[in-house]
């Protein structure tokens, strides 16, 4: 199974302008994400998909591969589908967010594994348990509930399930995805759906169209970069972990 790992990166960011080029211990953040993704064993190739020449140049200066994509994409799925069109020989596409410089490489491999066992699986993603009540109530932290087979029932910015004593743990959705290429191309052509628009969550489009999403649980902890404070924390963690 031929697998392509794609890291989408847009220059524009309301809270942290030029975020993909933000410095992390001497290298642009997008290059740090690329380094981590390249440590995964299963992908055959890792590329950055961007709409900005500055990001493209930074990636290539570090010996990475970058693909220039259109500037008018409304969603990350649309940009990913453009990449999929350019790689017709690929079977599986993994989407790693460009603001996750601490992504665990083994998690990329774990996400690919279910597709090797189930040829009909269209899409998969990741969740991790949330214990902190304040974190659970934050609408920026997307929650997910799954069935007994590990398939998503719903994603929400609200707290789900309702916090009764027997409701069980609360899971945070982590925005790393894997898709079969043919499914991704169909998915990107579907019209936005009511729940997707209500929650502003693209993955609900798949559920509303009856497409299963396998959700893997992980103990990995993530520090995405959205603010200057996040960036300072990631720099500190890189130094402490000896990744600089």
């Amino acid at each position: 199974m031929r697998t392509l790992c794609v890291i989408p990166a847009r220059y524009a960011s309301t809270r942290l302008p030029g975020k993909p080029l933000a410095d992390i211990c001497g290298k642009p953040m997008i290059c740090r994400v690329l380094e981590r993704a390249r440590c995964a064993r299963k992908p055959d190739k890792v590329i950055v998909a961007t709409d900005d020449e500055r990001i493209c140049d930074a990636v290539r200066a570090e010996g990475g591969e970058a693909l220039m994509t259109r500037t008018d994409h409304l969603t990350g799925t649309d940009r990913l589908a453009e990449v999929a069109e350019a790689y017709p020989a690929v079977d599986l596409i993994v989407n790693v967010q460009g603001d996750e410089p601490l992504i665990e490489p083994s998690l990329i491999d774990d996400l690919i594994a279910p597709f090797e066992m189930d040829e009909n699986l269209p899409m998969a993603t990741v969740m991790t348990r949330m214990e902190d009540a304040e974190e659970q109530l934050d609408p920026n932290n997307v929650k997910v509930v799954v069935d007994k087979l590990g398939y998503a029932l719903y994603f929400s910015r609200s707290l789900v399930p309702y916090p009764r004593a027997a409701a069980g743990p609360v899971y945070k959705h982590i925005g790393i995805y894997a898709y079969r290429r043919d499914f991704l191309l169909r998915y990107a052509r579907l019209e936005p759906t009511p729940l997707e628009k209500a929650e502003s969550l693209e993955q609900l489009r798949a559920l509303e169209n009856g497409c299963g999403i396998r959700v893997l649980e992980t103990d990995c902890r993530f520090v995405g970069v959205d603010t200057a404070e996040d960036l300072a924390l990631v720099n500190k963690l890189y130094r402490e972990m000896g990744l600089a």
Side-chain angles (χ1 to χ4, degrees), residues 76-120:
T77 301
D78 293 335
R79 192 175 311 282
L80 204 63
E82 181 183 349
V83 176
E85 291 279 9
Y87 286 87
V90 164
D91 302 300
L92 192 70
I93 292 179
V94 179
N95 179 5
V96 173
Q97 299 300 319
D99 57 4
E100 291 283 355
L102 289 168
I103 185 71
E104 177 57 49
S106 63
L107 184 59
I108 298 173
D109 293 328
D110 291 343
L111 192 59
I112 293 169
F115 293 87
E116 298 171 330
M117 297 181 286
D118 183 355
E119 63 181 16
N120 296 313

Side-chain angles (χ1 to χ4, degrees), residues 26-118:
K27 290 186 180 182
M29 178 167 66
I30 189 63
C31 296
R32 292 298 191 183
V33 179
L34 182 63
E35 285 177 348
R36 301 287 288 169
R38 280 172 153 178
C39 291
R41 296 179 296 103
K42 290 183 180 289
D44 298 287
K45 182 190 286 286
V46 182
I47 68 167
V48 172
T50 184
D51 59 359
D52 193 283
E53 289 284 357
R54 290 165 290 187
I55 297 172
C56 192
D57 291 343
V59 169
R60 290 172 179 168
E62 290 290 332
E65 186 171 343
L67 178 69
M68 286 295 298
T69 55
R70 287 165 31 201
T71 59
D72 60 345
H73 288 308
L74 297 178
T75 68
T77 301
D78 293 335
R79 192 175 311 282
L80 204 63
E82 181 183 349
V83 176
E85 291 279 9
Y87 286 87
V90 164
D91 302 300
L92 192 70
I93 292 179
V94 179
N95 179 5
V96 173
Q97 299 300 319
D99 57 4
E100 291 283 355
L102 289 168
I103 185 71
E104 177 57 49
S106 63
L107 184 59
I108 298 173
D109 293 328
D110 291 343
L111 192 59
I112 293 169
F115 293 87
E116 298 171 330
M117 297 181 286
D118 183 355

Side-chain angles (χ1 to χ4, degrees), residues 9-14 16-21 50-52 54-55:
R10 293 175 61 250
Y11 187 83
S13 172
T14 54
L16 193 61
K19 181 166 68 170
L21 300 182
T50 184
D51 59 359
D52 193 283
R54 290 165 290 187
I55 297 172

Side-chain angles (χ1 to χ4, degrees), residues 169-239:
V170 176
Y171 287 100
K172 177 181 179 179
H173 173 232
I174 304 301
I176 174 175
Y177 295 94
Y179 310 85
R180 291 207 185 272
R181 178 183 178 272
D182 57 350
F183 169 75
L184 172 61
L185 294 175
R186 294 196 308 271
Y187 172 52
R189 289 192 290 265
L190 294 173
E191 290 294 322
T193 51
L195 291 175
E196 172 190 357
K197 290 186 281 188
E199 295 266 14
S200 189
L201 296 174
E202 267 187 277
Q203 61 270 35
L204 289 173
R205 188 188 313 176
L207 294 186
E208 287 184 85
N209 280 280
C211 304
I213 304 175
R214 178 76 185 279
V215 187
L216 280 67
E217 183 176 357
T218 180
D219 292 330
C220 295
R221 290 294 176 261
F222 298 81
V223 183
V225 177
D226 288 316
T227 66
E229 291 75 17
D230 295 335
L231 182 62
L233 175 59
V234 167
N235 269 279
K236 178 175 180 287
L237 292 172
Y238 255 71
R239 290 190 293 270

